[in-house]
Amino acid sequence: MMERTYPEDNGRHAPTGRSGSDGMVTLGLRLLKLAARCGPNWVRHHVLPYRAEYDLRRHGPLYCGLYVTFRCNLACPWCVNPPLPAGLGLDDFEATPEAVARLLDHPLFRTVAHINLTGGEPLLNKNLMEIIRLIRRRGFLPGMVTNGTLLETRVADLRAAGIADVRVSMYGNTLDRLADILPKLRGKLPIATSYIVLGTEMRERPEAIEKAVRIAAESGSVGMRLNFYMPAGQCGDAELVYEDEPALADLKARIADRFPDFPIYWRPTVRRAISGSRDKTCRQPWENFHVDARGNLGLCCRYCFPSPRNGNLFETPLPELLNQPGLAKMRAGILDPGPLVPPECANCLYLSGGKAAPKVMQSPLPTLIRKKLATKPPTAAADNKSGAA
């Protein structure tokens, strides 16, 4: 989501700390500058065909996931974050304003519009508000993904710092706490929500998923993204969800019936078979990158955890950084017209999740535009129609 004003406040508050017409003028100028800097690159992404070899003169990254901490107050079994490298501790990866400023000076950030602060739990970083202000001053849109359990006491700080959007990741072990916290934040922050759908839960306890959607809808969330599990952490392949499962069709119909007016985006599921290029629509290796405070790079949304093995912004020459063997192999496999799938992309939800409509829905658009674009959850008939196309 991009920067926005807060209509719930009737113009009395703007994220910049100004109010009324001054705040709107400042907001407008910032958006114009952002469009001038990033707009041409956005057009090139939608006009010029992708290539396995990455060239910043042809395409530049649109989004960045910035790890500001590896600390977390939860221990979810599906977490994708591996153990820290030997000899390094949590303090070594804690982002500071100085470290972030150095990152933002790197050429890889020249075309970036939206920086999503992640972790760990970002709110555990004592420098977070200063980092958000820095990102805003430098002309980027700062967003944050959080488990939401610490939000209640930080709302005023986040608003004053100028956060553009917040996404709360809801989990089964936090639903009761979030049912108490999120309603208190209504109208105070532009909050979207997400939930990881596990295969066994979908088949055996769909009411738990419905509970998460109900909490999000009743709390005033601007919308919800339902993500399906990818193999990670301590969970196994039994938690995978496939597109042809009857339980999935039943769940979609159930959610559509109970929450007809709540914007929900269903992530694509894992496909049992890839027939060719039409099933390989991922755009992450071209549009997105992840980085930590030390400059270590993450390969893509699935292998998002930054590691020196993937290259370092301050140590690896730029052409080599953008075209390291792992990334080049991913891009070549995605672009291959046949059914070939790179091993790194097997069982990845994003492999078939980069078509035009999902890209629009999950891109960092202003929340008000997102609301206009949001559609009701697809019906079974619509699913059948799209599957037959």
Side-chain angles (χ1 to χ4, degrees):
M1 289 177 245
M2 293 175 71
E3 184 174 3
R4 56 162 277 189
T5 55
Y6 295 75
E8 300 87 350
D9 292 343
N10 297 319
R12 293 192 298 272
H13 175 83
T16 59
R18 305 187 181 199
S19 61
S21 58
D22 288 344
M24 292 299 294
V25 170
T26 302
L27 174 63
L29 290 175
R30 287 186 171 178
L31 288 176
L32 285 174
K33 290 180 179 178
L34 180 69
R37 179 171 63 84
C38 303
N41 180 56
W42 187 90
V43 172
R44 290 195 296 271
H45 270 278
H46 291 75
V47 173
L48 298 179
Y50 288 135
R51 297 174 177 173
E53 182 179 1
Y54 204 88
D55 186 346
L56 285 179
R57 294 169 298 181
R58 186 177 179 87
H59 299 107
L62 296 167
Y63 321 118
C64 170
L66 173 55
Y67 281 74
V68 295
T69 184
F70 290 155
R71 305 178 192 276
C72 191
N73 58 333
L74 300 178
C76 302
W78 50 79
C79 183
V80 299
N81 291 356
L84 295 177
L88 296 176
L90 291 170
D91 289 342
D92 295 303
F93 294 91
E94 203 77 355
T96 64
E98 294 76 19
V100 173
R102 187 183 180 207
L103 288 171
L104 299 182
D105 286 334
H106 193 276
L108 203 56
F109 279 85
R110 289 176 182 167
T111 57
V112 168
H114 185 269
I115 298 178
N116 193 39
L117 304 177
T118 185
E121 172 50 53
L123 289 170
L124 292 175
N125 185 316
K126 63 181 180 181
N127 301 304
L128 182 65
M129 304 308 157
E130 190 173 350
I131 289 172
I132 293 172
R133 285 191 287 269
L134 169 65
I135 291 172
R136 285 290 298 271
R137 287 197 303 269
R138 297 289 290 271
F140 303 92
L141 297 173
M144 180 181 72
V145 58
T146 170
N147 62 46
T149 58
L150 306 176
L151 263 180
E152 186 176 356
T153 59
R154 308 301 299 277
V155 171
D157 293 337
L158 287 167
R159 290 181 59 146
I163 194 73
D165 63 89
V166 175
R167 179 163 60 86
V168 174
S169 298
M170 306 176 71
Y171 308 123
N173 58 346
T174 63
L175 288 185
D176 291 336
R177 276 184 282 176
L178 293 176
D180 177 64
I181 294 172
L182 292 182
K184 300 175 183 177
L185 309 180
R186 182 190 293 268
K188 297 179 180 180
L189 282 175
I191 293 178
T193 48
S194 65
Y195 186 79
I196 295 178
V197 176
L198 301 176
T200 54
E201 186 176 61
M202 180 191 73
R203 301 176 196 111
E204 301 170 9
R205 302 181 304 279
E207 64 278 1
I209 303 169
E210 181 183 337
K211 177 181 178 180
V213 178
R214 184 177 66 254
I215 291 172
E218 294 177 352
S219 68
S221 169
V222 300
M224 189 172 200
R225 190 169 69 188
L226 290 173
N227 300 319
F228 296 99
Y229 166 79
M230 285 192 295
Q234 304 169 31
C235 297
D237 289 354
E239 299 296 355
L240 288 172
V241 176
Y242 295 94
E243 77 277 7
D244 57 355
E245 291 197 52
L248 175 59
D250 292 342
L251 177 64
K252 287 186 174 183
R254 177 176 182 150
I255 296 298
D257 179 64
R258 287 164 172 76
F259 309 97
D261 299 319
F262 183 52
I264 296 177
Y265 168 56
W266 294 83
R267 276 282 195 189
T269 60
V270 173
R271 289 182 179 268
R272 295 188 187 274
I274 300 296
S275 60
S277 58
R278 62 171 292 177
D279 294 331
K280 295 185 292 184
T281 57
C282 175
R283 298 297 178 256
Q284 295 298 324
W286 291 272
E287 296 183 350
N288 196 7
F289 72 98
H290 293 75
V291 67
D292 64 24
R294 300 170 68 90
N296 298 316
L297 202 67
L299 289 181
C300 64
C301 277
R302 184 179 187 183
Y303 301 99
C304 52
F305 193 83
S307 169
R309 296 191 301 271
N310 302 327
N312 184 283
L313 266 64
F314 308 119
E315 300 173 4
T316 311
L318 193 55
E320 180 183 338
L321 183 72
L322 296 172
N323 293 290
Q324 55 179 289
L327 273 174
K329 185 178 179 181
M330 281 185 184
R331 296 189 191 113
I334 292 170
L335 295 175
D336 186 275
L340 174 68
V341 175
E344 297 84 356
C345 300
N347 287 337
C348 180
L349 306 178
Y350 299 95
L351 181 61
S352 301
K355 294 182 180 179
K359 282 175 66 177
V360 170
M361 289 298 299
Q362 70 192 66
S363 63
L365 294 169
T367 301
L368 294 180
I369 297 178
R370 177 185 292 268
K371 285 183 177 180
K372 293 179 181 179
L373 289 174
T375 58
K376 296 181 180 180
T379 61
D383 284 349
N384 293 336
K385 183 176 179 181
S386 60

